[in-house]
């Protein structure tokens, strides 16, 4: 029978009474705090996608429009013009795009998919759409059929003749008019590709044995030449050795010199381990260009769009599995062009992201100035050849910065303003550490750590430009921004022991102490770092060998040259204790005004003073509660002895004094030691669980704590919905309550305790069990005293408790405006300025004015707290719950941010069930709820982030960033902000046929396809052959998309745009017809004058 628990009842009554304001109080709050944001201010839509197309499969180029199209295996299309002009489209079926073909200079693209469908895209609009689709039905092939077709194209000089290449080695030259084969060619080896000579008299085939065969169109049925580009030629005249298949070949001619033969593959089989290569053969020279990734496709860019003219190749676009390379054929050595697109997001897999909108205007120039020095040399001096389209005319002018953390320890800063993306600066955090020597030893899966430098969490203060990153190896690095180069002789290092201890209540010697509770640290209890006692433990992790595991990273001991940009100020490392690894860091925050960094994990938290290079506070989570721990975590189960060694164990609440907790890092000996395997599934011993399965997965022990369920639970389907966790006596419930990790931090000038009358600097701590605890900070005056006197840190009790892990905290003033955290303005840290100037630069922002005695009973601030289940607004200093909203019962939030919109504040939330929601502040009224994106990958969970002015982003694939907006204003202006892909360009004049070629039938022969394939000549197509599906292209698709609150207005605007577009097209056609008529009349008059006095045989 279930036990009755009076504590639950009392807690529930207290919660109801505190969260339900009286009618008078509620009315008063609403009158005082007018909310300006309404539901009509919100609308959700995708804006732009950046990065390299994930899993590319095909490519095409329009030589007149200068636009590149790339298709992928998941059915998406990416179109690239000049830098800043990009577009993303998606086929509904999601089938792989196997071939792309532009209708040159027509603003149209044909895509063929693996599901036997063909689509015609209209590119004459900012958002391309499908005009028509054909879905083909597979036919049963006869036994006489030669097999799969690998190539089909028309003769450059005669559109009525086709060449068809079969994989089996058969080539057929087919006459479309007579519907029969003119010639057949057979070769022993399988064919992979075919290319024409521009005169249409020769073609070249690439084969599976690494050979190239050149054939005359009207030949003897044998190749006129056989080439093995990478085969060794035997001296006895025998056939060269076989090589790897040549997957594609292109044959391009020039007027002034030898033709180019460009091919992929064909390397010798003895080149084991050699990287994929592109071979360029020009005359007698052969250049082999190594690539970093396998080649998917390549295209040769030529001066003319006509296949029947000298091609004059000038560049090769090479599509690799994870990169896009453009090679300059006109310069010696074939240098590559510098790629202006943001295609290097995945250079190392992305592990975390942060997004900042409307930041200081001087940040982007400062980052660009130091980042421009990092650019590589040796690129082609010519301009980027893919230069089509025009930029949009957006009115969005505020600066936006995206920061990405990567698996190799790099941090990249990106300029994301005006829906573009450009890399600004790259920081390599791995330089701080010694190089790993694991490669020298025989690394086994048990000891190998693939990404020891991976970035897990980032905290950035844009105003002071301070940066703090937490790595997967339980390290925290603090950086300052400087424009000057320095050499750091010794990298400053702090080692912290942050761990918890088993409760030995049932040990044979009877030493328990489980009923004791630690005393709360009081103001003044923190001694000066200079007076700390001698170390009680060695300050190195020499005892790591106990568990036979890989130790934490070792900070380099040699001088470190630091270029302009971010320079390391301090390294903080969690060290191994007793053979047990430190747990991954789950939360991180910094405040430049206070000079403090705080980080936490499943064991507790540590507050570091990076100015004095000391640890101010090192506490287990339980000790923050003091004697008021709501969960009373002490062993109550008689089955405790059955606890497996690899599981989670109880936390001891005893014996650490406030003095012990506040000593310097080398003298801190916490009572809490040996917390084993946090969310680690057991069975892995004490091995440090920090390995990232990248790029698409994240182990549960590294996901944000809001995503991590207790071990054994399904992370998506099962969540604990009750506020009071189970009080049963089972070991599992004790473990669950002991697992209170630190999930969020927030620095603010606020009321530290209930009933306080003045604002003080505070740190608020959120935990995985829904508690928000306050820590008061007593800071010395700014300037020299700040560097000499200690900062006093004192826990101040619990502010509020919510369901689920705490995700976000913020503070509002009495008018409902956001209280920004105090910050220190940026100054040049390496400047040789005198002390007074530096002191003036270091002064903190003034604290908000304290309430007068007449206001002491009123509320001066509001704390906004959002957990993975609900949100609350707490009035301060009374600590009454003013507003409360249950966000979800069946799911849980992955991300929540308090963001500023144009006219107010709101809480933006992303839920694991795919919903994106916004809540008003401070009233927590639902303003937006859209089912947008179900959680299908942990990558989305760890990279999704909101920012100000209605912007958000996430990593939609391992290589691509998807940006979205939830602002109605941005949705309305998006059409203007997007670039134009299609621009009116005159098609170059076709090559002149010449008099004799025209007289005797030479030169290019055109073909009226409508006459040949139209219903008049060929009859109606069989309905069983293919199904025609009309598309929603152009304005028709936009009509259906216009909906919602402003649907009528949007439809009216679309109608006007449609009418304007039709009028514009009519005007363009009229002008073109008039120009054509004038041109025809002019030529006719010239011809009449030329032939006026000539006989017919003189013409």
């Amino acid at each position: 029978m279930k036990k009755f628990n009076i504590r639950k009842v009392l807690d529930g009554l207290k919660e109801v009474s505190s969260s339900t304001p009286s009618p008078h109080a509620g009315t008063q709050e609403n009158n005082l705090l007018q909310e300006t944001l309404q539901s009509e201010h919100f609308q959700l839509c995708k804006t732009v996608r950046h990065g390299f197309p994930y899993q590319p499969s095909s490519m095409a180029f329009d030589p007149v429009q200068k636009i590149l199209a790339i298709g992928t295996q998941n059915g998406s299309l990416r179109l690239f013009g000049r830098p800043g002009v990009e577009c993303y489209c998606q086929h509904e079926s999601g089938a792989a795009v196997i071939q792309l073909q532009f209708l040159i200079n027509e603003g149209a693209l044909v895509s063929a998919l693996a599901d036997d469908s063909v689509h015609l895209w209209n590119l004459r609009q900012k958002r391309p759409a499908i005009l028509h689709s054909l879905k083909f039905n597979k036919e049963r092939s006869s036994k006489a059929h030669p097999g799969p077709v690998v190539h089909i194209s028309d003769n450059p000089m005669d559109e009525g003749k086709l060449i068809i290449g079969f994989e089996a080695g058969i080539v057929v030259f087919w006459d479309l008019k007579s519907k029969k084969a003119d010639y057949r060619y057979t070769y022993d080896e399988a064919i992979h590709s075919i290319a024409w000579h521009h005169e249409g008299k020769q073609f070249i085939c690439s084969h599976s044995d690494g050979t190239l065969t050149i054939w005359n169109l009207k030949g003897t049925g044998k190749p006129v030449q056989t080439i093995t580009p990478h085969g060794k030629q035997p001296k006895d005249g025998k056939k060269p050795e076989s090589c790897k298949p040549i997957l594609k070949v292109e044959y391009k001619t020039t007027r002034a010199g030898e033709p180019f033969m460009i091919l992929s593959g064909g390397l010798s089989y003895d080149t084991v381990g050699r990287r994929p290569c592109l071979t360029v053969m020009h005359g007698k020279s052969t250049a082999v260009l190594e690539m970093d990734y396998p080649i998917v496709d390549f295209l040769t860019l030529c001066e003319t769009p006509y296949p029947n003219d000298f091609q004059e190749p000038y560049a090769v676009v090479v599509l690799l599995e994870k990169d896009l390379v453009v090679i300059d054929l006109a310069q010696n050595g074939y240098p590559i062009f510098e790629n202006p697109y943001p295609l290097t997001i995945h250079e190392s897999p992305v592990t975390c992201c942060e997004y900042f909108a409307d930041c200081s205007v001087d940040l982007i120039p400062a980052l660009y100035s130091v980042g421009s020095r990092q650019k590589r040399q040796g690129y082609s001096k010519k301009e980027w050849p893919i230069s089509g389209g025009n930029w949009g005319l957006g009115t969005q002018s505020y600066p936006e910065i995206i920061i990405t953390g990567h698996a190799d320890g790099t941090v990249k800063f990106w300029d994301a303003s005006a829906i573009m993306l450009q890399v600004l600066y790259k920081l390599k955090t791995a330089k701080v550490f010694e190089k790993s020597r694991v490669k020298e030893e025989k690394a086994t899966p048990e000891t190998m750590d693939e990404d020891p430098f991976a970035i897990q969490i980032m905290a950035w203060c844009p105003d002071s430009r301070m940066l703090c990153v937490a790595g997967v190896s339980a390290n925290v690095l603090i950086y300052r921004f400087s424009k000057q180069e320095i050499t750091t002789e010794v990298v400053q290092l702090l080692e912290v022991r942050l761990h918890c201890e088993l409760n030995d209540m049932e040990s044979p010697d009877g030493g328990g102490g489980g009923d004791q509770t630690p005393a709360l640290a009081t103001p003044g209890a923190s001694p000066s770092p200079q007076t700390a006692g001698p170390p009680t433990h060695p300050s190195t992790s020499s005892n790591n060998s106990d568990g036979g595991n890989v130790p934490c990273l070792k900070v380099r001991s040699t001088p470190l040259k630091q270029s302009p940009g971010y320079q390391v100020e301090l390294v903080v490392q969690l060290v191994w204790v007793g053979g047990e690894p430190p747990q991954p860091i789950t939360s991180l925050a910094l405040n430049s005004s206070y000079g403090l960094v705080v980080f936490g994990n499943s064991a507790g938290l540590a507050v570091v003073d990076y100015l004095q290079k000391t640890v101010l506070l090192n506490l287990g989570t339980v000790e923050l509660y003091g004697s008021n721990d709501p969960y009373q975590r002490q062993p109550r189960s008689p089955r405790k002895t059955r606890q497996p060694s690899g599981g989670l164990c109880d936390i001891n609440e005893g014996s650490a004094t406030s003095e012990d907790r506040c000593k310097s890092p080398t003298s801190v000996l916490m009572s809490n030691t040996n917390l084993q395997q946090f969310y680690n599934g057991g069975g892995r011993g004490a091995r440090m669980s920090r390995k990232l399965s990248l790029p698409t997965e994240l182990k549960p022990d590294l996901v944000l704590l809001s995503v991590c369920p207790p071990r054994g639970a399904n992370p998506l389907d099962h969540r604990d919905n009750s506020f009071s966790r189970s009080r049963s006596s089972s070991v599992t419930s004790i473990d669950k309550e002991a697992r209170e990790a630190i999930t969020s931090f927030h620095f603010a000038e606020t009321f530290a305790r209930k009933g306080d009358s003045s604002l003080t600097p505070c740190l608020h701590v959120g935990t995985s069990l829904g508690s928000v605890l306050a820590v008061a900070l007593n800071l010395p005056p700014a300037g020299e005293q700040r560097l000499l006197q200690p900062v006093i840190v004192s826990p101040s009790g619990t502010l509020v408790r919510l369901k689920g892990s705490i995700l976000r905290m913020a503070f509002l003033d009495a008018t409902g405006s956001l209280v920004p955290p105090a910050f220190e303005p940026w100054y040049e840290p390496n400047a040789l300025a005198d002390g007074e100037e530096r002191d003036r630069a270091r002064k903190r922002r003034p604290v908000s004015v304290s309430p007068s005695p007449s206001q002491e009973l009123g509320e001066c601030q509001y704390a906004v707290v959002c957990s993975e289940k609900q949100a609350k607004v707490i009035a301060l200093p009374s600590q009454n719950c003013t507003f409360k909203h249950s966000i979800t019962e069946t799911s849980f939030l992955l991300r929540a941010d308090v963001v500023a919109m144009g006219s107010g504040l709101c809480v933006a939330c992303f839920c694991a069930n795919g919903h994106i929601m916004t809540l008003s502040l401070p009233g927590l009224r639902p303003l937006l709820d859209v089912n947008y994106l179900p959680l299908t990958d942990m990558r989305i969970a760890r990279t999704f982030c909101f920012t100000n002015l209605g912007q958000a982003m996430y990593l939609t694939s391992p290589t691509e960033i998807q940006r979205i907006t939830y602002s109605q204003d941005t949705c309305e202006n998006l059409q203007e902000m997007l670039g134009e892909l299609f621009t009116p360009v005159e098609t170059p004049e076709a090559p002149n046929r010449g008099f004799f070629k025209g007289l005797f039938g030479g030169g290019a022969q055109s073909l009226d396809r409508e006459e040949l394939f139209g219903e008049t000549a060929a009859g109606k197509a069989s309905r069983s052959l293919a199904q025609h599906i009309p598309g929603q292209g152009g304005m028709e698709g936009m009509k259906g998309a216009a909906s919602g609150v402003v649907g009528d207005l949007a439809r009216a605007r679309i109608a006007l745009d449609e009418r304007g577009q039709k009028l514009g097209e009519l005007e363009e056609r009229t002008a073109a017809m008039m120009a054509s008529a004038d041109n025809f009349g002019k030529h006719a008059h010239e011809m009449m004058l030329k032939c006026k006095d000539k006989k017919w045989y003189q013409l």
Side-chain angles (χ1 to χ4, degrees), residues 417-436:
S417 309
I419 68 171
M420 295 187 185
L421 194 69
Q422 180 183 8
V423 68
L424 292 171
Y425 171 72
K426 184 165 87 170
L427 169 67
K428 296 181 179 179
T429 65
K431 287 184 176 181
V432 176
F433 301 100
E434 298 282 1
K435 290 184 179 179
S436 175

Side-chain angles (χ1 to χ4, degrees), residues 49-59 68 70-72 74 76 78 80 86 88 293-294 296 318-325 339 341-347 414 421 956-961:
R49 182 172 291 200
H50 303 294
F52 183 78
Y54 183 55
Q55 294 180 334
S57 56
S58 57
M59 179 172 58
L68 182 75
I70 297 177
T72 71
N74 61 10
S76 66
R78 292 285 297 281
F80 296 91
E86 295 181 35
Y88 163 77
Y293 305 101
V296 176
V318 188
L319 179 63
L320 308 176
E321 280 189 0
K322 295 182 180 180
D323 201 2
L324 181 72
V325 176
N339 197 321
Y341 304 136
L343 302 183
T344 59
I345 293 170
H346 64 287
E347 191 173 24
W414 305 81
L421 194 69
T956 186
S957 75
T959 63
E960 296 168 290
I961 286 176

